[in-house]
Amino acid sequence: MLSPEAKCSFCRREAVARIAYAKLLLCEEHYIEYIRNKVRRTILRYNLANRGDKILLAVSGGKDSLTLLDIMYALSQEMRFSVAVLHIDLGIEGYSEQLKHSVESHTQKLGVPLITLSLRDILGVTLPQLSKRSRRPPCSVCGIVKRYLMNACAIESGATAVATGHTADDVIAYAIKSFILQDYSSLSKLVPKTKALQGAISRIRPLYEVYERETLLYSVLKRLPFHHGMCPYVVRNSLERHVKRFFNQIEELFPSTKISFLRRLAKHAETLTPVETERKSIRTCDVCGLIASDHKCSFCKVTESAVGMPLGREVRDYISSMVKEIWS
Ligand code: SF4
Ligand code: ZN
Ligand code: ZN
Protein backbone atom coordinates (compact mmCIF):
# COMPACT_ATOMS: atom_id res chain seq x y z
CA MET A 1 0.00 0.00 0.00
CA LEU A 2 1.24 3.50 -0.85
CA SER A 3 0.81 6.32 1.61
CA PRO A 4 -1.43 9.24 0.51
CA GLU A 5 1.68 11.42 0.58
CA ALA A 6 3.27 9.39 -2.25
CA LYS A 7 3.21 11.59 -5.36
CA CYS A 8 3.47 10.75 -9.08
CA SER A 9 7.02 11.19 -10.39
CA PHE A 10 5.63 13.01 -13.47
CA CYS A 11 2.77 15.22 -12.29
CA ARG A 12 2.84 15.23 -8.45
CA ARG A 13 -0.74 13.96 -8.23
CA GLU A 14 -1.44 11.15 -5.75
CA ALA A 15 0.44 7.99 -6.74
CA VAL A 16 -1.40 4.66 -7.10
CA ALA A 17 1.58 2.48 -8.03
CA ARG A 18 5.27 2.09 -7.35
CA ILE A 19 7.31 0.66 -10.23
CA ALA A 20 10.38 -0.42 -8.28
CA TYR A 21 12.47 -1.56 -11.29
CA ALA A 22 12.00 1.83 -12.99
CA LYS A 23 12.23 3.81 -9.70
CA LEU A 24 8.88 5.52 -10.42
CA LEU A 25 5.75 6.43 -8.52
CA LEU A 26 2.76 6.84 -10.82
CA CYS A 27 -0.72 8.35 -10.66
CA GLU A 28 -3.64 6.55 -12.31
CA GLU A 29 -3.27 8.32 -15.67
CA HIS A 30 0.51 7.93 -15.86
CA TYR A 31 0.32 4.30 -14.77
CA ILE A 32 -2.04 3.43 -17.64
CA GLU A 33 0.20 5.31 -20.05
CA TYR A 34 3.30 3.58 -18.64
CA ILE A 35 1.91 0.06 -19.18
CA ARG A 36 0.74 0.93 -22.69
CA ASN A 37 4.19 2.34 -23.52
CA LYS A 38 5.78 -0.80 -22.13
CA VAL A 39 3.76 -2.92 -24.57
CA ARG A 40 4.57 -0.54 -27.44
CA ARG A 41 8.29 -0.86 -26.64
CA THR A 42 7.99 -4.68 -26.52
CA ILE A 43 6.31 -4.67 -29.95
CA LEU A 44 9.11 -2.52 -31.38
CA ARG A 45 11.98 -4.31 -29.57
CA TYR A 46 10.92 -7.76 -30.83
CA ASN A 47 9.25 -6.67 -34.07
CA LEU A 48 5.91 -8.20 -33.08
CA ALA A 49 3.63 -6.16 -35.34
CA ASN A 50 3.97 -3.89 -38.33
CA ARG A 51 1.75 -1.53 -40.26
CA GLY A 52 -0.88 -3.51 -42.21
CA ASP A 53 -0.62 -6.66 -40.06
CA LYS A 54 -3.78 -8.52 -39.07
CA ILE A 55 -3.46 -9.66 -35.49
CA LEU A 56 -5.91 -12.17 -34.04
CA LEU A 57 -6.13 -11.62 -30.28
CA ALA A 58 -6.90 -14.72 -28.21
CA VAL A 59 -9.09 -13.39 -25.40
CA SER A 60 -10.41 -15.63 -22.62
CA GLY A 61 -12.06 -12.90 -20.53
CA GLY A 62 -9.57 -12.90 -17.63
CA LYS A 63 -7.56 -9.84 -16.56
CA ASP A 64 -4.50 -10.60 -18.72
CA SER A 65 -6.32 -11.15 -21.98
CA LEU A 66 -8.64 -8.17 -21.49
CA THR A 67 -5.57 -6.01 -20.82
CA LEU A 68 -4.09 -7.40 -24.04
CA LEU A 69 -7.26 -6.49 -25.94
CA ASP A 70 -7.49 -3.01 -24.44
CA ILE A 71 -3.87 -2.10 -25.15
CA MET A 72 -3.59 -3.78 -28.55
CA TYR A 73 -6.74 -2.00 -29.68
CA ALA A 74 -5.27 1.37 -28.67
CA LEU A 75 -1.92 0.58 -30.32
CA SER A 76 -3.58 -0.73 -33.49
CA GLN A 77 -5.00 2.74 -34.11
CA GLU A 78 -1.65 4.38 -33.62
CA MET A 79 0.62 1.77 -35.26
CA ARG A 80 -1.80 1.05 -38.12
CA PHE A 81 -2.35 -2.69 -37.77
CA SER A 82 -5.74 -4.44 -37.51
CA VAL A 83 -7.05 -6.49 -34.62
CA ALA A 84 -9.88 -9.01 -34.26
CA VAL A 85 -10.75 -11.13 -31.23
CA LEU A 86 -11.05 -14.89 -30.95
CA HIS A 87 -12.87 -16.27 -27.92
CA ILE A 88 -13.08 -20.01 -27.30
CA ASP A 89 -16.13 -21.11 -25.31
CA LEU A 90 -15.10 -24.33 -23.54
CA GLY A 91 -18.58 -25.03 -22.15
CA ILE A 92 -17.42 -25.33 -18.52
CA GLU A 93 -20.55 -24.87 -16.41
CA GLY A 94 -20.60 -21.87 -14.08
CA TYR A 95 -17.40 -20.50 -15.61
CA SER A 96 -17.44 -20.23 -19.41
CA GLU A 97 -20.69 -18.20 -19.56
CA GLN A 98 -19.20 -15.38 -17.46
CA LEU A 99 -15.98 -15.30 -19.45
CA LYS A 100 -17.94 -15.06 -22.68
CA HIS A 101 -19.97 -12.20 -21.26
CA SER A 102 -16.78 -10.31 -20.26
CA VAL A 103 -15.30 -10.66 -23.74
CA GLU A 104 -18.53 -9.67 -25.52
CA SER A 105 -18.95 -6.64 -23.32
CA HIS A 106 -15.46 -5.21 -23.95
CA THR A 107 -15.23 -6.06 -27.67
CA GLN A 108 -18.60 -4.38 -28.18
CA LYS A 109 -17.46 -1.29 -26.30
CA LEU A 110 -14.33 -0.99 -28.45
CA GLY A 111 -16.05 -2.04 -31.69
CA VAL A 112 -13.56 -4.85 -32.40
CA PRO A 113 -14.72 -7.83 -34.54
CA LEU A 114 -15.31 -10.94 -32.42
CA ILE A 115 -15.24 -14.61 -33.42
CA THR A 116 -16.59 -16.96 -30.76
CA LEU A 117 -15.89 -20.64 -31.25
CA SER A 118 -18.00 -22.83 -28.99
CA LEU A 119 -16.81 -26.42 -28.46
CA ARG A 120 -20.43 -27.50 -28.10
CA ASP A 121 -21.23 -26.10 -31.58
CA ILE A 122 -18.05 -27.33 -33.23
CA LEU A 123 -17.63 -30.79 -31.74
CA GLY A 124 -20.99 -31.43 -30.11
CA VAL A 125 -19.29 -31.82 -26.72
CA THR A 126 -17.99 -29.53 -23.98
CA LEU A 127 -14.44 -29.60 -22.65
CA PRO A 128 -15.34 -31.73 -19.58
CA GLN A 129 -17.07 -34.26 -21.88
CA LEU A 130 -14.16 -34.25 -24.31
CA SER A 131 -11.74 -34.87 -21.45
CA LYS A 132 -13.83 -37.74 -20.09
CA ARG A 133 -14.32 -39.40 -23.46
CA SER A 134 -10.70 -39.12 -24.51
CA ARG A 135 -9.53 -40.17 -21.01
CA ARG A 136 -7.13 -37.27 -20.74
CA PRO A 137 -6.87 -34.61 -17.98
CA PRO A 138 -9.00 -31.49 -18.70
CA CYS A 139 -6.01 -29.11 -18.84
CA SER A 140 -4.16 -31.31 -21.31
CA VAL A 141 -7.21 -31.46 -23.66
CA CYS A 142 -7.83 -27.75 -23.11
CA GLY A 143 -4.29 -26.87 -24.20
CA ILE A 144 -4.56 -29.03 -27.34
CA VAL A 145 -7.98 -27.61 -28.30
CA LYS A 146 -7.08 -23.97 -27.66
CA ARG A 147 -3.76 -24.15 -29.55
CA TYR A 148 -5.48 -25.85 -32.48
CA LEU A 149 -8.44 -23.46 -32.70
CA MET A 150 -6.22 -20.38 -32.40
CA ASN A 151 -3.96 -21.61 -35.17
CA ALA A 152 -6.82 -22.78 -37.41
CA CYS A 153 -8.77 -19.56 -36.93
CA ALA A 154 -5.73 -17.43 -37.72
CA ILE A 155 -4.95 -19.42 -40.87
CA GLU A 156 -8.55 -19.50 -42.12
CA SER A 157 -9.06 -15.80 -41.49
CA GLY A 158 -5.80 -14.75 -43.16
CA ALA A 159 -4.32 -13.27 -39.96
CA THR A 160 -0.59 -12.55 -39.90
CA ALA A 161 -0.19 -13.60 -36.24
CA VAL A 162 -2.04 -14.74 -33.14
CA ALA A 163 -1.43 -12.72 -29.98
CA THR A 164 -1.86 -14.30 -26.56
CA GLY A 165 -2.05 -12.64 -23.14
CA HIS A 166 0.89 -14.48 -21.55
CA THR A 167 2.56 -12.22 -19.03
CA ALA A 168 6.17 -12.08 -17.88
CA ASP A 169 5.22 -14.27 -14.89
CA ASP A 170 3.61 -16.93 -17.12
CA VAL A 171 6.63 -17.14 -19.41
CA ILE A 172 9.07 -17.34 -16.47
CA ALA A 173 6.99 -20.06 -14.81
CA TYR A 174 6.91 -22.15 -18.03
CA ALA A 175 10.62 -21.56 -18.58
CA ILE A 176 11.64 -22.72 -15.11
CA LYS A 177 9.34 -25.72 -15.37
CA SER A 178 10.83 -26.66 -18.77
CA PHE A 179 14.31 -26.26 -17.33
CA ILE A 180 13.50 -28.46 -14.33
CA LEU A 181 12.10 -31.11 -16.69
CA GLN A 182 15.06 -30.59 -19.06
CA ASP A 183 12.52 -29.99 -21.83
CA TYR A 184 14.62 -27.71 -24.02
CA SER A 185 12.28 -27.96 -26.97
CA SER A 186 9.48 -26.26 -24.95
CA LEU A 187 11.96 -23.77 -23.53
CA SER A 188 13.00 -22.72 -27.02
CA LYS A 189 9.40 -21.74 -27.84
CA LEU A 190 9.13 -19.23 -24.98
CA VAL A 191 10.12 -16.26 -27.10
CA PRO A 192 8.10 -13.07 -27.72
CA LYS A 193 7.47 -14.17 -31.30
CA THR A 194 7.51 -17.68 -32.76
CA LYS A 195 8.23 -18.15 -36.46
CA ALA A 196 5.49 -19.17 -38.87
CA LEU A 197 5.99 -22.72 -40.13
CA GLN A 198 4.08 -24.79 -42.66
CA GLY A 199 0.63 -25.29 -41.09
CA ALA A 200 1.36 -22.95 -38.17
CA ILE A 201 0.92 -19.21 -37.84
CA SER A 202 3.36 -16.97 -35.97
CA ARG A 203 2.48 -16.43 -32.31
CA ILE A 204 3.26 -13.20 -30.49
CA ARG A 205 3.25 -12.29 -26.79
CA PRO A 206 2.90 -8.51 -26.47
CA LEU A 207 2.69 -8.74 -22.62
CA TYR A 208 6.08 -10.53 -22.51
CA GLU A 209 7.56 -7.92 -20.16
CA VAL A 210 4.38 -6.95 -18.31
CA TYR A 211 4.01 -8.41 -14.80
CA GLU A 212 0.82 -10.12 -13.66
CA ARG A 213 0.43 -7.58 -10.84
CA GLU A 214 0.58 -4.86 -13.50
CA THR A 215 -2.22 -6.34 -15.62
CA LEU A 216 -4.34 -6.64 -12.46
CA LEU A 217 -3.89 -2.98 -11.56
CA TYR A 218 -4.36 -1.91 -15.20
CA SER A 219 -7.65 -3.87 -15.41
CA VAL A 220 -8.91 -2.42 -12.15
CA LEU A 221 -7.98 1.18 -12.98
CA LYS A 222 -9.48 0.91 -16.46
CA ARG A 223 -12.55 -0.86 -15.07
CA LEU A 224 -12.22 -3.71 -17.56
CA PRO A 225 -15.09 -6.19 -17.13
CA PHE A 226 -12.76 -9.13 -16.48
CA HIS A 227 -13.97 -12.33 -14.85
CA HIS A 228 -12.49 -12.88 -11.36
CA GLY A 229 -13.44 -16.53 -10.95
CA MET A 230 -11.10 -19.49 -11.36
CA CYS A 231 -11.58 -22.45 -13.65
CA PRO A 232 -12.75 -25.45 -11.58
CA TYR A 233 -9.95 -27.54 -13.12
CA VAL A 234 -7.11 -25.25 -12.15
CA VAL A 235 -4.33 -27.08 -10.29
CA ARG A 236 -3.87 -25.13 -7.07
CA ASN A 237 -0.59 -26.69 -6.02
CA SER A 238 1.23 -26.52 -9.37
CA LEU A 239 4.94 -26.02 -9.90
CA GLU A 240 4.17 -22.88 -11.96
CA ARG A 241 2.39 -21.26 -8.98
CA HIS A 242 5.35 -21.88 -6.68
CA VAL A 243 7.76 -20.49 -9.27
CA LYS A 244 5.61 -17.34 -9.63
CA ARG A 245 5.60 -16.82 -5.87
CA PHE A 246 9.36 -17.38 -5.66
CA PHE A 247 10.08 -14.94 -8.50
CA ASN A 248 7.85 -12.31 -6.89
CA GLN A 249 9.97 -12.57 -3.75
CA ILE A 250 13.18 -12.29 -5.76
CA GLU A 251 11.79 -9.28 -7.64
CA GLU A 252 10.98 -7.56 -4.31
CA LEU A 253 14.59 -7.97 -3.26
CA PHE A 254 16.20 -7.35 -6.64
CA PRO A 255 13.87 -5.24 -8.83
CA SER A 256 14.06 -5.94 -12.60
CA THR A 257 15.21 -9.58 -12.18
CA LYS A 258 12.17 -10.75 -14.15
CA ILE A 259 12.82 -8.43 -17.08
CA SER A 260 16.55 -9.32 -17.22
CA PHE A 261 15.65 -13.02 -17.15
CA LEU A 262 13.16 -12.59 -20.01
CA ARG A 263 15.47 -10.52 -22.20
CA ARG A 264 18.16 -13.20 -21.91
CA LEU A 265 15.60 -15.92 -22.56
CA ALA A 266 14.36 -14.08 -25.67
CA LYS A 267 17.96 -13.81 -26.90
CA HIS A 268 19.04 -17.40 -26.27
CA ALA A 269 15.88 -19.56 -26.29
CA GLU A 270 15.83 -20.37 -29.99
CA THR A 271 19.39 -21.67 -29.91
CA LEU A 272 18.49 -24.25 -27.26
CA THR A 273 17.04 -26.80 -29.71
CA PRO A 274 19.31 -28.00 -32.50
CA VAL A 275 17.61 -26.82 -35.70
CA GLU A 276 17.96 -30.18 -37.47
CA THR A 277 16.28 -32.10 -34.64
CA GLU A 278 13.45 -29.60 -34.63
CA ARG A 279 12.98 -29.67 -38.40
CA LYS A 280 12.80 -33.47 -38.50
CA SER A 281 10.10 -33.55 -35.84
CA ILE A 282 7.81 -31.04 -37.61
CA ARG A 283 5.41 -32.10 -40.33
CA THR A 284 1.76 -31.57 -41.23
CA CYS A 285 -1.26 -33.63 -40.23
CA ASP A 286 -2.47 -36.14 -42.87
CA VAL A 287 -6.09 -35.32 -41.95
CA CYS A 288 -6.25 -31.54 -41.58
CA GLY A 289 -2.97 -30.23 -43.01
CA LEU A 290 -1.97 -28.22 -39.94
CA ILE A 291 1.25 -28.60 -38.01
CA ALA A 292 1.86 -31.96 -36.34
CA SER A 293 4.70 -33.94 -34.82
CA ASP A 294 3.24 -37.21 -36.09
CA HIS A 295 1.08 -38.35 -39.04
CA LYS A 296 -1.94 -36.92 -37.16
CA CYS A 297 -2.01 -33.73 -35.09
CA SER A 298 -2.98 -33.85 -31.40
CA PHE A 299 -6.39 -32.31 -32.11
CA CYS A 300 -7.27 -34.97 -34.70
CA LYS A 301 -6.09 -37.66 -32.27
CA VAL A 302 -8.13 -36.31 -29.35
CA THR A 303 -11.29 -35.90 -31.40
CA GLU A 304 -10.83 -39.36 -32.89
CA SER A 305 -10.60 -40.96 -29.45
CA ALA A 306 -13.53 -38.89 -28.10
CA VAL A 307 -16.04 -38.87 -30.94
CA GLY A 308 -14.83 -41.69 -33.19
CA MET A 309 -13.30 -39.67 -36.03
CA PRO A 310 -10.58 -37.04 -36.45
CA LEU A 311 -12.36 -33.70 -36.87
CA GLY A 312 -9.58 -31.30 -37.85
CA ARG A 313 -10.66 -30.95 -41.49
CA GLU A 314 -14.35 -30.36 -40.62
CA VAL A 315 -13.42 -27.85 -37.97
CA ARG A 316 -11.22 -25.91 -40.40
CA ASP A 317 -14.09 -25.78 -42.92
CA TYR A 318 -16.53 -24.63 -40.23
CA ILE A 319 -14.18 -21.86 -39.09
CA SER A 320 -13.50 -20.82 -42.66
CA SER A 321 -17.23 -20.21 -43.22
CA MET A 322 -17.36 -18.09 -40.05
CA VAL A 323 -14.43 -15.76 -40.51
CA LYS A 324 -15.07 -14.37 -43.99
CA GLU A 325 -14.54 -10.61 -44.15
CA ILE A 326 -13.55 -10.36 -40.51
CA TRP A 327 -10.85 -7.78 -41.33
CA SER A 328 -12.94 -5.52 -43.52
FE1 SF4 B 1 -8.26 -25.01 -19.40
FE2 SF4 B 1 -9.31 -24.64 -16.98
FE3 SF4 B 1 -7.15 -26.17 -17.26
FE4 SF4 B 1 -6.96 -23.53 -17.62
S1 SF4 B 1 -7.46 -24.60 -15.71
S2 SF4 B 1 -6.07 -25.10 -18.95
S3 SF4 B 1 -8.97 -23.07 -18.57
S4 SF4 B 1 -9.19 -26.58 -18.12
ZN1 ZN C 1 0.97 11.53 -12.94
ZN1 ZN D 1 -5.13 -32.69 -37.76
Side-chain angles (χ1 to χ4, degrees), residues 90 92 127 138-139 142 146 231 233-234:
L90 300 168
I92 300 174
L127 181 84
C139 295
C142 186
K146 284 199 277 201
C231 175
Y233 299 110
V234 80

Side-chain angles (χ1 to χ4, degrees), residues 75-91:
L75 294 178
S76 72
Q77 312 274 303
E78 176 198 320
M79 300 172 89
R80 303 265 165 232
F81 54 82
S82 305
V83 288
V85 166
L86 165 66
H87 173 67
I88 299 168
D89 177 356
L90 300 168

Side-chain angles (χ1 to χ4, degrees), residues 148 285-290 296-300 312-313:
Y148 188 85
C285 173
D286 293 348
V287 180
C288 69
L290 296 187
K296 268 185 213 154
C297 70
S298 306
F299 182 80
C300 284
R313 190 69 255 172

Side-chain angles (χ1 to χ4, degrees), residues 106-306:
H106 205 51
T107 43
Q108 246 170 44
K109 183 176 170 201
L110 300 177
V112 175
L114 168 66
I115 307 152
T116 299
L117 296 178
S118 149
L119 285 201
R120 210 182 264 114
D121 294 347
I122 298 180
L123 305 175
V125 285
T126 61
L127 181 84
Q129 291 167 330
L130 195 60
S131 155
K132 218 174 192 175
R133 291 196 196 176
S134 62
R135 294 200 185 87
R136 288 182 191 234
C139 295
S140 148
V141 177
C142 186
I144 291 170
V145 164
K146 284 199 277 201
R147 276 193 298 276
Y148 188 85
L149 294 180
M150 276 192 269
N151 189 40
C153 190
I155 288 181
E156 298 304 334
S157 69
T160 46
V162 176
T164 59
H166 292 118
T167 60
D169 303 72
D170 294 328
V171 177
I172 291 171
Y174 296 147
I176 300 293
K177 185 181 176 187
S178 306
F179 182 71
I180 291 172
L181 301 174
Q182 301 284 294
D183 178 2
Y184 292 112
S185 162
S186 296
L187 191 55
S188 71
K189 291 175 192 146
L190 295 171
V191 284
K193 180 182 193 170
T194 62
K195 287 191 195 90
L197 297 164
Q198 200 189 348
I201 201 96
S202 165
R203 265 210 263 169
I204 60 170
R205 299 182 170 112
L207 306 184
Y208 198 76
E209 294 189 0
V210 180
Y211 297 178
E212 223 165 83
R213 286 176 179 179
E214 294 176 332
T215 60
L216 177 61
L217 184 57
Y218 182 95
S219 312
V220 171
L221 295 177
K222 287 228 56 195
R223 292 173 188 79
L224 302 182
F226 68 96
H227 178 49
H228 301 248
M230 242 195 242
C231 175
Y233 299 110
V234 80
V235 182
R236 286 171 195 274
N237 193 24
S238 67
L239 181 59
E240 286 95 325
R241 284 190 157 218
H242 289 288
V243 173
K244 282 184 181 183
R245 206 169 301 141
F246 170 70
F247 258 81
N248 278 337
Q249 287 164 357
I250 299 281
E251 181 75 22
E252 289 272 324
L253 295 170
F254 308 104
S256 87
T257 305
K258 289 185 192 174
I259 291 182
S260 308
F261 180 96
L262 287 164
R263 293 211 177 142
R264 293 205 171 94
L265 179 67
K267 197 166 166 196
H268 301 299
E270 278 177 333
T271 62
L272 290 169
T273 313
V275 177
E276 275 316 305
T277 321
E278 187 74 346
R279 221 174 259 151
K280 272 183 207 152
S281 63
I282 293 174
R283 48 171 294 170
T284 50
C285 173
D286 293 348
V287 180
C288 69
L290 296 187
I291 195 160
S293 54
D294 206 344
H295 66 290
K296 268 185 213 154
C297 70
S298 306
F299 182 80
C300 284
K301 284 183 189 167
V302 166
T303 48
E304 188 168 29
S305 67

